[in-house]
Every structure is written in C-alpha cells, then in structure tokens.
Amino acid sequence: MLSKLPLLAPHAGVIDVVDVHVGGDLHRIVLDGIAELPGSSVLEKMCFLRDQADGLRRILLTEPRGGHPSLYADLVVEPVSPEAHAGFIIMELMGYPLISGTNTMSTAIALLETGRLPMTEGPRELVLEAPGGLIDVLAHCENGKVKSVRYEASTPSYVAAKDMSVVLQNRDEIRFDIIWTGAFYPVVNAAEVGFELVKDEEQSLVQFARAFIDAARKVAHPIHPVFGDEGPLSFVVFASDTTRSEEGSWERRVCCYEYPRFNVCRAPAGVPSTAVLVQLVDDGVLSVGDKLRTLSIFDAELHAEVTSIEPYHGASAVKAAVTGSGWITTRSQIVVDFSDPLTPRQGLAAILKDPATA
C-alpha cells in the first residue's frame, strides 16, 4: 500500500496506483482503494465491474486523469482459483478484454516490485488469474528489479475466421483473418494495404483502421465457444510479411489499433504478437518450439514462442509464451472527489473503500 498523502479538500476516496510501461504502452495498476468485488470467479468480478461500476475504468483511463497515448489499467483482485497468487481485471478504452499480454507483464512487475507478492532473486514463478483463465508467469528478478517477464495463458488461441474481406472506399478488396487470443483480432497484411509499419505512418494507420473496423463489423461478429458474445470487433492488427534475421530467427513487424483511439499501441503488444504467431502456425510457417520476434512501429520488441498445438472446441488451437520487459514509471494516488463534475459516477462510489457520501 502507498503511504497516504494529505488532501486539501474533502474527497470521497483515493485509489493507489502504480504505472508500469512495457515497450511504451502504459499500464495503471490499481493496488488499493477499491473494495473486493463480488463474484465466484475473476470473470464474474469483471462482469460486475463492467455492468455495475464502470466509473473505475473511466476515471483511470479518460481525461482529465488519463492522457498517455497508449494507456491501460488493471485492477488487482483476490483470486478465486487456489492455484493463483493474485487476480486482475483488464480495463481498456474499448472495454474489458479477457486476456492481455502487456497488462499481464505490468501487473506481475507491479506486484513484485512493490512487495505485494514476495520477490526472490532469480526466476520467480507466479500464477495470475485473469477473466479469461489462469496465466503462468515466469519473472526473472535481480537486485529488486524484474528484468523480464514471460507469460503463457492456459486458454489457447485459435483462428476464428479465415480469408474474410471488406471493401473500403477507393481501395481494392481487403483480406483479413480473425484470431481469438483474449479478444477477437482481425489481422491485416500491412504490405497488401500499402503500409511498411514505420512511425511516420501512425495517423494513416489510425485513419485506415477506423474505416476498416466500421466495415468489418458489418461482415463479422464471431462468438467464442466458451465466453460467448464479446461484443463488436474493437481491434485491428497490421502485420508485415515474415522475415528471417541474420541469426535465422523469425521476425515480423506488428501494429495494433484499438477502437476508439486516435493512435496505435507503442509496443507490438502481447496478444497481437500471439495473434500473428497463431496465423503463421495456421499457414504452416511455424510449429511447436518456433519463436517470433515482433517489432512495433516504434521499434519496441517482444518475443513469442509456440509452446503447443491442441484441439479446442473443434479448432486447432495454439498456446504461446510471450516475453518482454517493463519499468515502473509512477507511484501515485488518484483522488476521487465527487464535487468534481468530471469524476465519473457509474458505480464508482459503491466500490471505493470507505467512501464519503457522494
């Protein structure tokens, strides 16, 4: 818990947060200030938060308290599974993904480096419980710092739709696959739509992605066999052609857009990296044991590896491990003052610890 800071005005409560970045994507980890949510699973806790108290997501991510171009948030909760060391709920501008890679990495870093979970020198194994299932984490620790994080979700990823297409104004037919890996991700070949996936293309990528999502939502609304309807498509993943480095490793540039942002992810991101890995497995390019280095348009990198291929509700599904590094940037308290007209009201007062009368 962070030490309490003196406040200059009456307030309803404070939320203790630690900000962690992975490849430039910033994750606001909530460690205290929120009461434990009801639910017999972390998925049920997420559903309660989404349906009854979405004000927490809004106060963490939107103006005037938000502002980073690639900001996400995670609420640490008590796990339900006896195997898990901690649970966490992922919050993004689009809503509540079931699994997210860099959110997993950042949550693990925050828990270990703040002492919420004990850190040991060398490898430290953790199990985190996300709404989408258990996630095995291996953190390499040195002198009080998490040097790298490798995670592997227990819920496999799979190709939900193959060779779909839409037509945008003034463009030829655009082909894409849809991969489920914590959410449904349409994957577009960047070269086929004229992108090299470099930093100068950011605004053009955003413009294309917003138009593409509008069109793709009209032709695709996949349903997960376990989690059901997760809502309309909210992401676009651009992927370059696959290349080999001089050392012989596979590489692919990856850029993820999340609706309704006006920018793209700073990192190649964990689940988009998994999505393009799964696509390559489905295409017969990669198999178990193969590794893929992914690079964002800002040249941040992650490393993904195919760990197994197995049947999953009629699909050939893939489990993957993704490795990256992150750094704590800020430890702070968000003041929740309900006299502020820009404080979200949606159920936030009900879940604050010891809230004042709103």
Side-chain angles (χ1 to χ4, degrees), residues 7 85 88 90 110 117 125 172 322 344 357:
L7 297 170
H85 296 86
F88 71 110
I90 306 149
L117 292 177
E125 294 183 354
D172 294 331
V322 181
T357 301

Side-chain angles (χ1 to χ4, degrees), residues 89-117:
I89 296 169
I90 306 149
M91 294 170 279
E92 301 188 359
L93 284 182
M94 52 70 64
Y96 297 82
L98 298 175
I99 297 171
S100 172
T102 51
N103 284 281
T104 298
M105 294 178 186
S106 293
T107 300
I109 290 167
L111 289 170
L112 290 169
E113 292 194 12
T114 63
R116 181 73 174 260
L117 292 177

Side-chain angles (χ1 to χ4, degrees), residues 202-250:
E202 180 176 11
Q203 291 309 309
S204 296
L205 286 163
V206 169
Q207 184 179 15
F208 177 94
R210 292 175 73 89
F212 174 85
I213 284 180
D214 287 341
R217 284 179 168 182
K218 295 175 183 177
V219 300
H221 192 123
I223 305 296
H224 193 276
V226 174
F227 301 114
D229 190 347
E230 299 177 31
L233 297 173
S234 297
F235 299 94
V236 184
V237 174
F238 299 93
S240 71
D241 293 330
T242 309
T243 61
R244 286 266 199 174
S245 68
E246 293 181 358
E247 296 77 22
S249 61
W250 295 99

Side-chain angles (χ1 to χ4, degrees), residues 56-74:
L56 177 63
R57 182 181 67 90
R58 295 176 182 274
I59 200 170
L60 293 170
L61 296 181
T62 60
E63 295 182 90
R65 297 162 186 86
H68 187 278
S70 193
L71 179 63
Y72 311 92
D74 300 276

